[in-house]
Amino acid sequence: MKTQVCIIGAGPAGLMLGHLLRAEGIECVVLERQSGDYVLGRIRAGVLETVTVDLMARLGLDARLKAEGLVHGGFNLADGERLIRIDLAELTGKHVTVYGQTEVTRDLMEASAERGLDVIYEAGDVALHDVDSDAPYVTYTRDGATQRIDCRFIAGCDGFHGPSRQAVPASAGQAFEKVYPFGWLGILADVPPCNHELIYANHERGFALASMRSETRSRYYVDVPLTDKVEEWSDDRLWDELTIRLGPDAGSRITRGPALEKSIAPLRSFVFAPMRYGSLLLCGDAAHIVPPTGAKGLNLAASDVLYAADALTGFFRRNDPDAISGYSDKALARVWKSERFSWSLTMLMHRFPQDGPFERAMQVAELDYIASSRAARTAIAENYVGLPV
Ligand code: RFL
Ligand code: PHB
């Protein structure tokens, strides 16, 4: 098979890029290792910046997002019994939209057939070849047979563990990494949220987050040591812990219910630079990871693919020889700012095992400053709603 762009990975990055390229009349094929049902079973992001909402609108795939997404004009930082509200609407004139990554992916997936976006699920042993040349190709197996796709560019949208980044020689890039000493244990349940806005809580027992997917579906997290196993956390134990960590007010409003999903995700900051090598463009989690504290991962995938689609459109449609070479710098400029924000909010809101009284005093001083300074709250709000693309 021959195409212009072979996209590896049908997560949000791969599907958004596929749709953007199809809308420009550029040929592409998406290769996904898992089945469609498996991809939709992964519970991940919940908060969308304007950049992601606008991208879905540009594709004409925002009908459900507009109807079902919850517009949030603020969120809260809790520290023990104190609650600091970040008024996004008043401080920035903008808001975020609560709409699950699962739903974004479903909307993109369901539109692929009618839009002529070819997505091949259950593609095994995906391997990239000759990425440093102008004629790269990708091989994979399906139903026991090996297939080959020749293309002009490969878009690596295959997440943190995919093969694309591994195809870049070690000497051609640099990895920047910070691993945190805990993970987030998340629970999804069909119960009304305890609060109409998100609450990120720093409690002496650890971090907690109250989030949601709808008026009737809640998503909560607590941080746990990396050695903890999901099986050690019964629903009751988790609800008890959330009730304490979210503070007396929100804690008392928690409605308990059976877990629809419960899982632990490790926290990591990671950037691989540059984000292009020869004919390979890396997008989304394939190139970078943020800890979920800033709600930035999916939104960075969206901004990456906007830059990548523009670069590829420049190459194929505008005959612009510099379009591709500018991709990495443009994408990384935004990536690093989101990395900084996610890291700083993680440091502010979590208790680290090695921390002593000094580190805690620094957190309290920073939270005092945020509570008392409009400028500090504006800086947080500006980053949370998303920096310009
Ligand atoms: P994905 O979603 O991981 O998709 C990559 C796809 O590539 C496929 N793949 C392969 N395909 C073919 N061959 C191979 N060898 C392959 N290897 C892998 C995979 O099966 C998959 O389908 O990456 P993408 O598209 O870059 O999207 C990134 C986002 O998924 C991620 O950044 C967010 O989920 C992060 N995140 C959040 N982001 C936000 O913007 N807001 C949030 O509120 C938010 N909350 C979260 C999060 C991530 C979390 N976890 C579980 C890490 C909350 C959590 C708990
Ligand atoms: C979520 O609802 O899953 C969620 C919300 C905000 C975050 C991370 C995850 O910062």
Side-chain angles (χ1 to χ4, degrees):
M1 192 197 292
K2 202 167 167 38
T3 190
Q4 288 176 306
V5 182
C6 180
I7 300 172
I8 306 180
L15 291 176
M16 288 189 290
L17 180 61
H19 279 290
L20 286 168
L21 296 181
R22 287 308 299 132
E24 295 291 340
I26 296 168
E27 284 171 30
C28 55
V29 176
V30 185
L31 289 179
E32 166 61 49
R33 183 167 60 126
Q34 307 287 357
S35 67
D37 284 346
Y38 182 95
V39 171
L40 288 180
R42 293 189 297 227
I43 307 297
R44 291 186 171 178
V47 177
L48 308 185
E49 297 174 0
T50 315
V51 57
T52 309
V53 173
D54 288 353
L55 193 161
M56 293 299 282
R58 172 171 156 188
L59 293 172
L61 296 177
D62 62 338
R64 221 158 55 88
L65 199 165
K66 271 206 304 232
E68 297 171 22
L70 304 175
V71 170
H72 281 205
F75 73 97
N76 304 276
L77 300 175
D79 185 38
E81 299 196 357
R82 158 165 75 164
L83 201 66
I84 305 168
R85 180 160 190 268
I86 309 294
D87 191 331
L88 302 172
E90 201 244 331
L91 294 165
T92 67
K94 296 183 183 149
H95 58 263
V96 291
T97 304
V98 172
Y99 187 70
Q101 174 168 336
T102 311
E103 306 311 318
V104 172
T105 310
R106 190 190 307 279
D107 294 340
L108 292 161
M109 215 183 243
E110 284 180 354
S112 28
E114 76 201 40
R115 304 244 172 138
L117 175 62
D118 193 3
V119 186
I120 300 170
Y121 289 97
E122 298 177 57
D125 308 316
V126 169
L128 298 81
H129 308 271
D130 295 351
V131 288
D132 55 348
S133 78
D134 289 350
Y137 64 99
V138 177
T139 53
Y140 66 98
T141 52
R142 183 96 220 267
D143 302 327
T146 300
Q147 309 286 344
R148 170 174 169 146
I149 300 181
D150 288 281
C151 54
R152 177 62 190 85
F153 290 102
I154 299 173
C157 302
D158 45 357
F160 185 65
H161 300 286
S164 294
R165 194 178 63 254
Q166 315 300 334
V168 181
S171 59
Q174 185 177 359
F176 302 79
E177 184 166 37
K178 179 175 175 67
V179 176
Y180 301 86
F182 37 70
W184 278 17
L185 166 65
I187 181 169
L188 185 72
D190 272 337
V191 292
C194 69
N195 195 52
H196 67 291
E197 289 177 347
L198 271 64
I199 303 175
Y200 295 80
N202 178 334
H203 188 273
E204 62 184 12
R205 290 175 66 96
F207 171 83
L209 168 60
S211 181
M212 66 194 75
R213 289 293 176 273
S214 70
E215 311 282 7
T216 55
R217 182 168 283 191
S218 301
R219 179 75 166 156
Y220 291 98
Y221 299 92
V222 293
D223 74 338
V224 296
L226 285 170
T227 45
D228 275 21
K229 303 268 173 293
V230 180
E231 304 73 61
E232 293 162 15
W233 284 87
S234 66
D235 291 1
D236 278 339
R237 180 179 173 206
L238 184 45
W239 290 121
D240 287 346
E241 195 63 33
L242 282 162
T243 305
I244 300 169
R245 292 191 191 184
L246 284 168
D249 201 29
S252 68
R253 293 194 305 264
I254 288 179
T255 309
R256 298 177 179 220
L260 299 173
E261 193 262 4
K262 208 161 39 174
S263 54
I264 297 178
L267 264 65
R268 182 194 302 272
S269 295
F270 176 88
V271 177
F272 186 83
M275 286 172 58
R276 179 186 69 97
Y277 173 68
S279 297
L280 169 65
L281 280 66
L282 298 173
C283 303
D285 280 14
H288 43 71
I289 296 287
V290 284
T293 327
K296 292 287 164 241
L298 169 60
N299 297 299
L300 274 183
S303 54
D304 284 358
V305 302
L306 283 169
Y307 295 124
D310 189 51
L312 291 163
T313 307
F315 181 89
F316 287 112
R317 292 271 164 271
R318 299 194 300 269
N319 267 329
D320 175 359
D322 300 325
I324 298 295
S325 58
Y327 166 67
S328 178
D329 284 351
K330 277 188 201 154
L332 280 171
R334 192 169 193 272
V335 166
W336 276 118
K337 294 190 194 95
S338 290
E339 288 282 345
R340 188 210 64 81
F341 178 65
S342 306
W343 161 81
S344 71
L345 206 55
T346 303
M347 300 304 284
L348 178 65
M349 299 309 292
H350 292 75
R351 304 284 174 113
F352 288 72
Q354 71 274 21
D355 278 3
F358 179 81
E359 284 78 11
R360 176 61 193 147
M362 290 298 97
Q363 288 186 337
V364 173
E366 189 169 343
L367 287 159
D368 283 348
Y369 175 55
I370 293 166
S372 65
S373 161
R374 182 183 169 89
R377 287 194 303 281
T378 304
I380 292 179
E382 218 168 67
N383 280 277
Y384 197 80
V385 298
L387 297 173
V389 177

